[in-house]
Amino acid sequence: MADYRRRLATVGLIAGAALLAAMAVLPAGRAHAATVVVREADKTEKAPERRAFVMTDTQGRMFTDQDMLGSFALIYFGYTSCPDVCPTSLQTVAMALEELGDDADRLKAIFVTVDPERDTPDVMRQYISMFDERIIGLTGPKPFIDSMVAAYNVKYEIGEIDPERPKDYLVDHSASIAFVGPDGKLITRFGYGMTSEQIAERIREIISKTTVN
Amino acid sequence: MRLALVAAILVLTLTVASAEQLARPLDRLKTIDPRTPVADLTLATGEGGTTRLSDFRGKVLVVNVWATWCAPCRKEMPGLARLQGFLEGEDVKVLPIAVDREGVAAAEQFFAANGIAGLPLLAAPAKEVVAAFGEDRLPYTVLIDKKGREFARLVGPAAWDDTEFAILIRTIARSADE
């Protein structure tokens, strides 16, 4: 009898602990776990994991992967002082934001410099102002940038032009625009050469299929 | 007199030095064969009105697509102004089209701050320019014949005040219509 009671108490204790644990875990987990994002198969990705990073915005504030949670995000890696041919990707991002209208409120557009020596927060702020002030400019110490670059599987190289082989100058075509879900995980990438209309259309499509409950 | 000579040499040296950093147009131009008609872009003008590319039919056009945020674009602009100066009186028009969000105002500010004269203030929405020329990089320059057909294109900056290039354009402008 005593044995049975003890067993009951143990079961009760375990159940109580489980309930407590669930109560502790649930509120924290709810915000992200319930977001259902439709993802596209991406050959370059093994698994769409959330990628951690710590950077500084153009106001000098800390900006991490946690600051993107709950919003979709467009992340573009680039630099402001292109020596030869300038990619128009940031302009494309700005135009896509414009085309998205109110839907743009559901996403954060982020421009990460890969050239922190020249792209000081001031330089970036001024540069971004020529496109769309909603774009968040991120910089940081080189190792931090490299870590974010690695986290998003982006490749970048800044090279001087060789006059003998001007075509070899690298406008990095792999420097596509990453589209990240409200859970911080990659959804897809928008390749170099996609128009702002195409990007806006894809974003709308993905946003409309995403349910947050 | 001596001062003027020194100044002239200095100017010449600076010109040569700046030209050295930019590629010669003839080295990088790609000819378009067959010549293809270009889209009839509507351009905002410095006077607050609009003009169309087709309004310049009958002239050889050096259409340069640029933006004030693009460093190499800024660098080649003085050369484009000098090219227009070299070809004064010829059937040639250098048309820099700014794709800045601020449009003509951005170009105007840049021209004023850098003493660029003799070039028209023109701008068009980036989206329309991309649709017309299909380039997602800046700068690039499209050469258009008197019939409104593209015959060459150069992506990237160049020293447009290059003498050989100026002679080539003048020859094309003076030749009978094909």
Side-chain angles (χ1 to χ4, degrees):
Chain A
M1 195 66 183
D3 201 22
Y4 171 72
R5 264 196 202 156
R6 200 178 299 143
R7 207 173 290 164
L8 196 72
T10 312
V11 169
L13 206 68
I14 290 169
L19 192 71
L20 272 174
M23 279 167 67
V25 163
L26 265 179
R30 182 177 284 162
H32 318 307
T35 306
V36 182
V37 184
V38 178
R39 286 175 206 288
E40 291 174 3
D42 188 328
K43 288 166 222 136
T44 61
E45 312 302 323
K46 286 197 190 90
E49 285 162 28
R50 186 172 139 195
R51 296 127 204 263
F53 63 84
V54 179
M55 300 285 278
T56 310
D57 71 12
T58 54
Q59 309 291 329
R61 290 172 305 215
M62 186 165 85
F63 191 98
T64 77
D65 50 308
Q66 295 194 337
D67 296 306
M68 304 195 313
L69 294 181
S71 294
F72 287 90
L74 271 177
I75 306 177
Y76 171 65
F77 293 82
Y79 46 90
T80 69
S81 48
C82 35
D84 187 52
V85 180
C86 303
T88 51
S89 310
L90 205 59
Q91 191 176 46
T92 307
V93 168
M95 289 193 293
L97 285 178
E98 210 173 303
E99 262 146 52
L100 280 167
D102 290 344
D103 284 338
D105 296 344
R106 292 189 62 183
L107 69 92
K108 285 184 160 70
I110 296 167
F111 168 49
V112 185
T113 181
V114 292
D115 185 14
E117 294 240 328
R118 280 180 287 192
D119 292 344
T120 62
D122 271 348
V123 168
M124 286 184 83
R125 199 164 48 234
Q126 212 189 342
Y127 186 70
I128 287 168
S129 75
M130 289 189 273
F131 299 93
D132 191 316
E133 260 105 9
R134 287 174 290 183
I135 296 169
I136 299 163
L138 296 185
T139 183
K142 198 170 177 298
F144 286 49
I145 290 174
D146 287 346
S147 136
M148 188 172 178
V149 163
Y152 282 90
N153 285 339
V154 181
K155 287 185 187 70
Y156 77 89
E157 256 177 81
I158 301 170
E160 289 300 307
I161 328 152
D162 179 356
E164 299 293 315
R165 294 178 303 168
K167 281 184 74 181
D168 285 356
Y169 169 69
L170 200 87
V171 176
D172 196 359
H173 288 240
S174 78
S176 52
I177 302 160
F179 188 52
V180 176
D183 51 2
K185 296 175 188 172
L186 188 87
I187 297 174
T188 188
R189 291 174 197 275
F190 299 124
Y192 189 76
M194 263 180 94
T195 67
S196 54
E197 278 119 334
Q198 290 166 331
I199 291 173
E201 195 183 319
R202 287 296 295 125
I203 289 177
R204 264 213 191 94
E205 210 176 306
I206 293 165
I207 285 182
S208 70
K209 284 184 197 157
T210 301
T211 47
V212 181
N213 30 12
Chain B
M1 185 61 196
R2 190 181 291 172
L3 197 69
L5 194 70
V6 169
I9 289 168
L10 192 70
V11 166
L12 200 69
T13 314
L14 285 174
T15 311
V16 170
S18 71
E20 247 174 20
Q21 290 168 23
L22 289 165
R24 293 170 66 240
L26 298 187
D27 290 344
R28 290 181 76 176
L29 267 175
K30 296 257 183 307
T31 49
I32 308 291
D33 192 27
R35 299 183 174 195
T36 40
V38 295
D40 192 14
L41 268 175
T42 299
L43 309 168
T45 67
E47 291 79 41
T50 59
T51 185
R52 302 180 79 94
L53 262 190
S54 58
D55 294 339
F56 298 95
R57 207 55 64 77
K59 287 185 193 300
V60 174
L61 304 180
V62 179
V63 172
N64 173 261
V65 180
W66 73 294
T68 58
W69 50 261
C70 159
C73 304
R74 294 194 298 263
K75 200 163 141 191
E76 67 173 348
M77 200 52 75
L80 281 162
R82 281 192 292 271
L83 175 71
Q84 182 66 81
F86 288 166
L87 298 169
E88 202 56 56
E90 303 288 338
D91 281 339
V92 178
K93 242 356 209 165
V94 177
L95 304 177
I97 302 175
V99 294
D100 281 86
R101 188 163 63 116
E102 313 288 336
V104 182
E108 192 167 20
Q109 204 180 1
F110 174 77
F111 280 15
N114 294 278
I116 289 165
L119 289 179
L121 285 166
L122 298 168
K127 206 163 77 179
E128 287 166 31
V129 179
V130 169
F133 298 117
E135 290 289 350
D136 50 12
R137 315 167 268 184
L138 288 180
Y140 59 93
T141 302
V142 177
L143 305 184
I144 299 168
D145 69 13
K146 292 181 181 178
K147 289 181 175 164
R149 299 171 305 177
E150 175 176 357
F151 66 92
R153 181 180 291 207
L154 189 153
V155 177
W160 295 105
D161 50 351
D162 177 77
T163 317
E164 284 177 41
F165 178 72
I167 292 169
L168 172 81
I169 290 296
R170 194 181 67 175
T171 308
I172 293 169
R174 286 183 181 179
S175 64
D177 292 349
E178 291 153 65

